[in-house]
Amino acid sequence: MTNDSPTIADLLLSVVAPAHNEEGNIDDLIREVEAGARACTEAYGGRDGFPEGFECIIVDDASTDATADRVRVLMSERPWLRMLMMPKPASGGGNGQSAAFQAGFRAARGVFIAVLDADLQNDPAEFPKMMSLLMEHKADLVQGDRSRNRKDNWVKRRGSEVGRLFRRMILGDKVRDTGCSLRIMRATYARRLPLEFKGIHRFIPASFQQMEATVVEMDVHHRARHAGETKYGNLGISKRAIPGLIDCFAVRWMGTRRRSTVASEVGAESTGEP
């Protein structure tokens, strides 16, 4: 059970990786994440008022294999490695990537949050370059773009193209590869995302834009899956596109209803506007 209260940012970077039945990938994932996150903290930790240090949070999404056991073994020698375990939903399977991200973001202690899939298709070696780009542009989100380097099958590639068309038409979202999980963002924005709703992780860049945040894209590598099976199954384009279209309208509606919750606390002797 995670605490829903605000988290104190006492680290530079939190890496959040949802994992559902990824026992064959966890060891390599943790090794690669450590290298990428450590490079970020060596470059920016302690600079410009930022704290030092990093953590990696594996969100075990109701795995039925040995994923959690492998993480426990690795945690014994890595104080920066944490694990959250999500309960198995009544419908079976996992809770989904949106819910797993939400759990991880709430628990994260970093000023910045980096996210990636646990299947090794995303490369944590991209983190230092993404962090550099975020600092250079004073951005709030650096979004990975795999579109020129995708190693997925044609169904997933065509489905992404259809989804991109929907998002551009309905949301005005021009981000090329919003489905890429590899990204770095400011934690203050990440915790405002409505990820308790299924499928909203596909609209993280659009949600940042609705919050008037600065979004920058960066070309990233994409690798073939090392072990395990894709969590998308064998759904055809139409079975993925129709729910995505409905979600586009839902995200647009939420954008029109979104209001700022920023406020400043004042004391009894304070005067004027906050």
Side-chain angles (χ1 to χ4, degrees):
M1 179 176 180
T2 59
N3 191 342
D4 289 343
S5 61
T7 303
I8 297 175
D10 56 3
L11 298 172
L12 177 74
L13 182 67
S14 296
V15 181
V16 175
H20 177 73
N21 293 342
E22 297 288 0
E23 63 177 331
N25 295 316
I26 286 296
D27 289 66
D28 287 341
L29 173 71
I30 298 305
R31 175 179 53 80
E32 293 185 2
V33 164
E34 179 178 11
R38 197 174 296 282
C40 288
T41 57
E42 289 175 354
Y44 297 101
R47 286 179 43 184
D48 302 322
F50 290 127
E52 297 181 306
F54 69 92
E55 65 181 355
C56 175
I57 302 174
I58 302 297
V59 184
D60 182 75
D61 184 12
S63 294
T64 57
D65 65 357
T67 295
D69 293 335
R70 286 304 311 152
V71 177
R72 287 191 186 95
V73 170
L74 296 169
M75 287 171 63
S76 64
E77 298 179 352
R78 295 167 177 82
W80 46 265
L81 179 59
R82 302 166 61 193
M83 178 170 60
L84 304 178
M85 296 190 69
M86 303 187 74
K88 189 175 184 65
S91 58
N95 297 273
Q97 203 169 53
S98 294
F101 278 146
Q102 176 93 315
F105 294 173
R106 287 178 174 175
R109 295 182 293 137
V111 175
F112 303 99
I113 296 177
V115 298
L116 76 167
D117 293 331
D119 58 12
L120 297 180
Q121 290 192 268
N122 300 142
D123 188 354
E126 307 272 13
F127 286 159
K129 185 176 178 181
M130 298 182 94
M131 182 69 83
S132 176
L133 198 62
L134 185 145
M135 297 292 186
E136 177 187 348
H137 291 272
K138 295 181 172 59
D140 303 302
L141 167 66
V142 175
Q143 171 65 44
D145 179 5
R146 311 158 297 173
S147 55
R148 295 177 179 83
N149 303 300
R150 289 197 70 162
K151 302 300 181 183
D152 290 322
N153 60 47
W154 73 271
V155 172
K156 293 182 71 173
R157 292 197 301 270
R158 295 294 87 78
S160 294
E161 291 171 2
V162 171
R164 187 183 309 138
L165 177 62
F166 286 163
R167 290 190 301 273
R168 183 182 293 267
M169 292 172 56
I170 299 169
L171 299 172
D173 180 9
K174 297 181 181 179
V175 171
R176 283 183 55 85
D177 189 10
T178 191
C180 178
S181 292
L182 189 62
R183 52 175 71 96
I184 289 182
M185 66 194 87
R186 294 186 188 271
T188 50
Y189 282 96
R191 294 193 187 98
R192 294 169 59 189
L193 296 168
L195 293 169
E196 65 270 27
F197 297 104
K198 181 179 179 179
I200 295 299
H201 67 277
R202 298 192 300 267
F203 300 92
I204 286 178
S207 296
F208 266 71
Q209 291 166 349
Q210 289 176 349
M211 291 186 283
E212 299 183 347
T214 301
V215 178
V216 176
E217 296 179 80
M218 187 185 102
D219 285 345
V220 297
H221 297 102
H222 193 233
R223 304 180 293 193
R225 171 176 272 277
H226 172 69
E229 298 179 357
T230 178
K231 305 308 180 286
Y232 285 99
N234 296 313
L235 292 179
I237 293 176
S238 62
K239 290 186 178 180
R240 295 178 60 194
I242 293 174
L245 175 61
I246 295 171
D247 288 345
C248 278
F249 285 109
V251 171
R252 186 172 71 174
W253 179 86
M254 284 190 287
T256 64
R257 308 298 291 177
R258 185 184 293 275
R259 296 294 182 269
S260 173
T261 58
V262 174
S264 300
E265 184 174 354
V266 298
E269 299 179 357
S270 300
T271 61
E273 295 294 328

